[in-house]
Amino acid sequence: GVVVLGLNRSHAKNALNKNLLKMMSKAVDALKSDKKVRTVIFRSEVPGIFCAGADLKERVKMHSSEVSSFVSKARATINEMANLPVPTIAAIDGTALGGGLELALACDIRVAASSAKMGLVETKLAIIPGAGGTQRLPRTIGVSLAKELIFSARIVDGEEAKSIGLISHVVEQNEAGDAAYRRALALAREFLPQGPVAMRVAKLAINQGMEVDLATGLAIEEACYAQTIPTKDRIEGLLAFKEKRPPRYKGE
């Protein structure tokens, strides 16, 4: 039930170019309707790097109209990731800058090694984050601090990222360089025993509710809760509780 999507463009530090975005979009699209998928982990196969952001060597060769198209594609692909119906975890075992951090921000949960480096550094290039960073970072760590990090293009390590709420878990890096990935796997395994329909609906209720006032959010919760009432998952969960045994969910 756990799907791992690994970035492996080692010669370019996993920088996002047209081809990589195309492959990411195709992979995410395949996951949307796969009922066997319970959690998705985004990680890097390249030691010391999560994603260095957009491929500036490719971008500098683009016409201005191409740049707009590229940024739109990056934004759309990362939105597709954010809209996956199942929990998503970013395992940040190395550097995540610019679009790399925007990719991680689109995940539900972020885990990072203490040695990892993260930042939205676009203002150094006289541009701004264009793939969701100006919207998701404030929603994650608060408006004032997000402005400070974007205005300064500051890079933080895993410890500071945890202290400001940018990530949920920080771990000491191991010799294999995959400590964050291992922690992400442990989290994913915590999710697996739960009702699959309930997990999808819970994510939907939280995501939609965070964008509206409380009264509307409670109405969204009510509508989402109603979706779980007739499911086989819910019946199995209640039976398991009554019989004092682990539930055996098959998914729907």
Side-chain angles (χ1 to χ4, degrees):
V2 179
V3 173
V4 180
L5 292 183
L7 299 176
N8 193 0
R9 192 172 178 240
S10 57
H11 68 282
K13 298 182 179 180
N14 289 339
L16 302 173
N17 67 347
K18 292 178 181 178
N19 189 50
L20 184 54
L21 285 173
K22 182 179 180 180
M23 289 191 291
M24 287 171 58
S25 180
K26 184 177 180 180
V28 169
D29 190 59
L31 297 175
K32 288 178 184 176
S33 56
D34 189 340
K35 299 298 184 182
K36 295 179 181 179
V37 178
R38 303 287 296 279
T39 300
V40 178
I41 297 174
F42 291 90
R43 67 167 302 197
S44 168
E45 303 287 346
V46 182
I49 291 291
F50 179 73
C51 174
D55 189 334
L56 298 181
K57 290 183 179 178
E58 181 185 70
R59 182 181 291 191
V60 77
K61 300 175 183 177
M62 295 180 186
H63 186 271
S64 58
S65 61
E66 290 182 285
V67 173
S68 296
S69 176
F70 172 81
V71 174
S72 293
K73 178 61 177 177
R75 186 184 302 113
T77 301
I78 289 175
N79 279 339
E80 289 171 11
M81 288 173 44
N83 291 328
L84 278 171
V86 297
T88 55
I89 307 171
I92 308 170
D93 274 305
T95 301
L97 301 178
L101 183 54
E102 289 177 306
L103 187 156
L105 282 166
C107 294
D108 299 312
I109 299 165
R110 285 161 296 285
V111 181
S114 56
S115 57
K117 305 296 183 184
M118 290 157 269
L120 294 179
V121 296
E122 285 86 348
T123 52
K124 284 186 177 181
L125 303 174
I127 57 176
I128 69 170
T134 64
Q135 303 305 304
R136 292 193 175 97
L137 188 63
R139 284 168 167 77
T140 302
I141 66 173
V143 174
S144 182
L145 190 51
K147 286 178 178 178
E148 180 180 328
L149 293 186
I150 291 173
F151 294 167
S152 65
R154 186 183 306 151
I155 296 173
V156 300
D157 62 17
E159 295 290 351
E160 186 174 356
K162 175 65 169 65
S163 71
I164 63 177
L166 178 55
I167 61 174
S168 300
H169 302 273
V170 59
V171 290
E172 288 296 320
Q173 189 56 280
N174 56 28
E175 289 187 12
D178 65 352
Y181 171 59
R182 290 178 182 273
R183 185 70 180 90
L185 273 177
L187 277 174
R189 291 183 180 120
E190 286 187 52
F191 302 160
L192 285 179
Q194 321 314 328
V197 173
M199 294 290 280
R200 290 168 180 253
V201 176
K203 177 170 176 173
L204 180 65
I206 295 168
N207 284 357
Q208 291 190 352
M210 287 301 296
E211 302 303 320
V212 297
D213 61 86
L214 179 59
T216 306
L218 290 171
I220 290 171
E221 179 185 78
E222 182 179 10
C224 287
Y225 186 88
Q227 294 181 42
T228 69
I229 291 176
T231 66
K232 295 177 182 178
D233 283 349
R234 186 169 185 269
I235 295 170
E236 167 60 16
L238 293 173
L239 278 175
F241 179 79
K242 180 180 179 181
E243 297 169 6
K244 298 182 180 180
R245 61 171 173 80
R248 295 182 289 270
Y249 297 118
K250 296 180 180 179
E252 294 185 14

